[in-house]
Amino acid sequence: MEVKANGPNSDLGRIPDGPTNPMVTPLLTDLYQFTMAYAYWKAGKHQERAVFDLYFRKNPFGGEYTIFAGLDECIRLIANFKFTEEEITFIQQTLPSCEDGFCEYLRRLDCSEVEVYAIPEGSVVFPKVPLLRIGGPVAVVQLLETPLLNLVNYASLVATNAARHRFVAGKSKILLEFGLRRAQGPDGGIGASKYSYLGGFDATSNVAAGRLFGIPLRGTHSHAFVSSYMSLDEIVEKSLQSSDGSSNCEDFVSLVQTWLNKIKWSNSLQGTFGETNQSELAAFISYALAFPNNFLALVDTYDVMRSGIPNFCAVALALDDLGYRAVGIRLDSGDLAYLSSETRKFFCSIEREFGLSGFGKTSITASNDLNEETLDALNKQGHEVDAFGIGTYLVTCYAQAALGCVFKLVEINSQPRIKLSEDVSKVSIPCKKRCYRLYGKEGYPLLDIMTGENEPPPKMGERILCRHPFNESKRAYVVPQKVEELLKCYWPGTSDKVREDLPSLKEIRERCMKQIEHMRPDHMRRLNPTPYKVSVSAKLYDFIHFLWLNEAPVGELQ
């Protein structure tokens, strides 16, 4: 089911019905949003037109960039924002002093008068630049504050974390999100899978996320599966009890044992291993019989090089005789650099010894509490891992708990507002703004600049003075070779603006990858990255400081 956008622009596109998470309702907000909304209503201010900016103050993980994510869910919330009778009853019980008229106001409330401009999801973004600019009646926009922050903060943090892992791993490696069991509840698990994929991961183990978002699914078996088998006789006995009979199983077991002996006594591998663990071999055979086209074995239950790898190779060669090609192995413990390199040598020896073309390139997947630092260390040591399964450190954002997005009033009734602080980083940039990205001769972005809404936009080839919002000495003239306006209309309210379509998750992911490729490498590097410049126009700079002086109390010394 789908619903059309509210208001006069309802023919501008269709929004999917409801947020992905059913817990995202108008009640998913802080109590003080309702107390403020009631106070606005009581004072007759609730319909006053306000503009808020949603932005963050500092890039996460010690880096100099962030990936914006969560916009799709924000627009879903706005499109379906409506109180149910049960929710209104709960508000009455929570605020027993509120008048019935306020409840009637809530019954009629929707986001048909709300206007949302945003940077496209999947973009590389920077501090102070609004990710979303939300305009509308002050009471309803205030009610949107907490859910919008909730939907953007974690999504952008996870997407950035994923993008950083992708940057360190490199383009050629496969990245798999394995974090569901360690995520902060089912909501965190679903969101982490979605936004890890957006940030550059290739697949997830999370089946629910695969169904909801179309993310490719990947997974093999656990150590429990391997250790649940006792002997080769067990799988033959079980097959006797099945309706299929045991002939195929017995023939395959015999073929595997033949190959295991060949490998053991081959010229290049002779003496590499002795007797392998037979219960492990039984588990591999059983799994291969169940998934002959997708055989990927976990090889570190007992001993990787003395048992796991030889057993895998014997089963893989037997599958090859029957016309199937094994996928590969997974390492979940030990020295991953050493074990992956030794495994690659083993595979290459099998290819040379038995003339099995391509076997040397059999996939090696590594897991075991991997993180950005581990990937960097593996790159420096040298390794042969083709795919990384990353869980805990990715989905919990272990290196940083939150992004810290804020939601600040910048205009009310067309009058600019500013939030002051002794901490300059917390001073807001007032007024309704337009935001641009200026590009240089090499095609890289030079800086982002904010201007007043009615200022003429920067033009390609024309010099413009760009100023640091709060530091008088930091300024530069820029002659942009390309100008990109960042904020686009995603919910037009009562205006006649054409609404941007919401792209698919795959399209957002592709945008993210392209954006990262087109950033200057020194901004993206893991250690000591160059800060990206965020500036304001000269006119906006003067206005910020005029308003600052006008609003700040003047001290008096006795």
Side-chain angles (χ1 to χ4, degrees):
M1 176 182 174
E2 293 183 339
V3 294
K4 288 189 175 182
N6 296 319
N9 293 281
S10 59
D11 60 337
L12 294 179
R14 297 173 71 83
I15 301 291
D17 183 17
T20 301
N21 187 339
M23 294 299 293
V24 180
T25 76
L27 290 190
L28 185 71
T29 194
D30 293 308
L31 179 60
Y32 82 160
Q33 309 294 8
F34 280 103
T35 59
M36 285 190 290
Y38 180 67
Y40 284 137
W41 178 84
K42 184 76 173 172
K45 281 176 60 73
H46 58 291
Q47 286 297 111
E48 291 184 6
R49 192 79 184 176
V51 178
F52 288 78
D53 285 347
L54 189 156
Y55 61 93
F56 61 96
R57 297 185 176 118
K58 186 177 180 181
N59 289 303
F61 309 116
E64 288 296 339
Y65 72 95
T66 300
I67 304 300
F68 173 40
L71 176 61
D72 176 87
E73 297 291 347
C74 290
I75 300 302
R76 287 171 180 262
L77 166 72
I78 288 166
N80 298 278
F81 190 90
K82 195 71 179 172
F83 287 94
T84 66
E85 281 301 317
E86 290 79 8
E87 289 170 336
I88 292 171
T89 299
F90 181 77
I91 295 301
Q92 283 181 300
Q93 294 168 350
T94 304
L95 301 174
S97 62
C98 74
E99 299 174 18
D100 290 341
F102 179 66
C103 295
E104 189 57 38
Y105 163 71
L106 292 180
R107 283 188 182 90
R108 298 191 306 269
L109 197 63
D110 60 24
C111 289
S112 59
E113 296 182 64
V114 173
E115 182 181 273
V116 178
Y117 280 72
I119 297 175
E121 190 167 5
S123 297
V124 175
V125 291
F126 302 96
K128 291 289 186 183
V129 179
L131 306 178
L132 290 92
R133 189 184 77 202
I134 304 97
V138 64
V140 66
V141 178
Q142 200 79 73
L143 288 170
L144 290 170
E145 174 182 359
T146 302
L148 292 180
L149 287 170
N150 179 271
L151 292 170
V152 170
N153 261 310
Y154 180 66
S156 299
L157 190 69
V158 172
T160 306
N161 201 16
R164 290 177 63 85
H165 280 78
R166 166 55 70 193
F167 189 81
V168 174
K171 296 179 185 178
S172 64
K173 302 302 179 185
I174 295 172
L175 293 181
L176 312 171
E177 180 269 306
F178 284 173
L180 180 58
R181 63 186 58 195
R182 304 285 170 76
Q184 286 93 336
D187 298 342
I190 292 290
S193 297
K194 178 180 182 180
Y195 296 115
S196 295
Y197 181 68
L198 185 158
F201 274 57
D202 298 289
T204 180
S205 64
N206 185 340
V207 179
R211 182 185 71 84
L212 283 170
F213 308 120
I215 304 172
L217 289 168
R218 289 282 293 273
T220 177
H221 57 77
S222 71
H223 295 108
F225 181 84
V226 176
S227 59
S228 72
Y229 285 84
M230 302 297 291
S231 68
L232 286 170
D233 293 337
E234 180 183 358
I235 58 173
V236 175
E237 289 172 4
K238 294 293 183 184
S239 67
L240 286 169
Q241 300 168 14
S242 71
S243 58
D244 298 333
S246 64
S247 58
N248 290 339
C249 180
E250 289 177 308
D251 291 344
F252 189 65
V253 169
S254 177
L255 187 57
V256 169
Q257 288 177 316
T258 299
W259 272 114
L260 189 60
N261 285 326
K262 288 182 180 180
I263 295 169
K264 182 176 181 179
W265 300 110
S266 68
N267 293 326
S268 57
L269 295 170
Q270 192 169 355
T272 304
F273 64 96
E275 293 300 319
T276 64
N277 187 293
Q278 294 297 288
S279 61
E280 178 184 62
L281 183 61
F284 288 179
I285 290 172
S286 177
Y287 199 77
L289 288 169
F291 300 101
N293 287 305
N294 194 31
F295 176 54
L296 193 151
L298 180 61
V299 295
D300 68 326
T301 304
Y302 301 112
D303 188 294
V304 174
M305 300 311 302
R306 291 189 179 92
S307 182
I309 295 301
N311 279 340
F312 165 79
C313 289
V315 176
L317 291 168
L319 283 172
D320 187 76
D321 283 346
L322 301 177
Y324 302 101
R325 177 56 61 97
V327 173
I329 60 105
R330 177 163 72 96
L331 299 167
D332 192 47
S333 62
D335 186 334
L336 299 178
Y338 170 78
L339 290 173
S340 65
S341 297
E342 290 301 304
T343 297
R344 183 68 66 206
K345 291 177 187 176
F346 202 105
F347 289 164
C348 290
S349 295
I350 293 289
E351 179 175 348
R352 288 193 303 270
E353 186 80 14
F354 302 110
L356 192 61
S357 178
F359 196 85
K361 296 181 179 179
T362 298
S363 177
I364 299 173
T365 298
S367 50
N368 185 29
D369 279 342
L370 302 180
N371 57 31
E372 199 179 323
E373 289 74 20
T374 310
L375 298 183
D376 188 47
L378 285 170
N379 289 340
K380 291 173 180 174
Q381 294 169 39
H383 67 88
E384 288 293 334
V385 178
D386 301 297
F388 293 98
I390 305 176
T392 305
Y393 289 90
L394 173 67
V395 304
T396 65
C397 294
Y398 190 88
Q400 181 169 327
L403 176 57
C405 287
V406 294
F407 195 85
K408 297 300 178 185
L409 178 70
V410 296
E411 185 177 284
I412 184 85
N413 294 330
S414 300
Q415 297 300 307
R417 308 308 296 148
I418 189 171
K419 186 264 182 190
L420 300 180
S421 172
E422 292 183 4
D423 182 350
V424 175
S425 68
K426 292 189 174 183
V427 175
S428 64
I429 298 178
C431 81
K432 198 173 185 178
K433 297 174 287 294
R434 298 177 74 177
C435 307
Y436 304 90
R437 185 158 292 173
L438 308 185
Y439 292 78
K441 292 179 179 179
E442 295 179 345
Y444 295 124
L446 293 173
L447 54 79
D448 288 1
I449 185 170
M450 291 174 273
T451 72
E453 184 189 25
N454 296 319
E455 286 188 58
K459 294 181 181 178
M460 185 177 67
E462 290 189 8
R463 192 171 73 159
I464 181 173
L465 178 61
C466 301
R467 305 202 63 170
H468 187 284
F470 308 118
N471 191 323
E472 187 176 11
S473 65
K474 290 186 177 181
R475 54 187 180 169
Y477 283 108
V478 176
V479 181
Q481 302 305 302
K482 175 186 170 184
V483 177
E484 176 189 6
E485 184 159 12
L486 296 177
L487 293 173
K488 302 181 184 299
C489 180
Y490 283 90
W491 195 255
T494 56
S495 74
D496 58 357
K497 297 286 185 181
V498 175
R499 182 177 68 79
E500 296 286 326
D501 289 332
L502 291 175
S504 67
L505 179 59
K506 185 176 180 181
E507 290 169 329
I508 297 170
R509 181 181 185 274
E510 289 170 354
R511 176 181 180 81
C512 177
M513 298 299 97
K514 288 178 182 177
Q515 287 259 308
I516 290 173
E517 286 178 10
H518 292 137
M519 293 301 299
R520 222 170 64 196
D522 59 310
H523 294 310
M524 311 302 289
R525 66 192 176 203
R526 183 170 171 269
L527 296 177
N528 300 316
T530 303
Y532 182 85
K533 295 177 177 63
V534 173
S535 64
V536 296
S537 66
K539 187 175 180 180
L540 182 55
Y541 175 89
D542 290 339
F543 182 73
I544 292 169
H545 291 267
F546 165 78
L547 195 62
W548 192 336
L549 292 174
N550 193 55
E551 295 287 346
V554 179
E556 182 174 330
L557 301 178
Q558 298 292 333

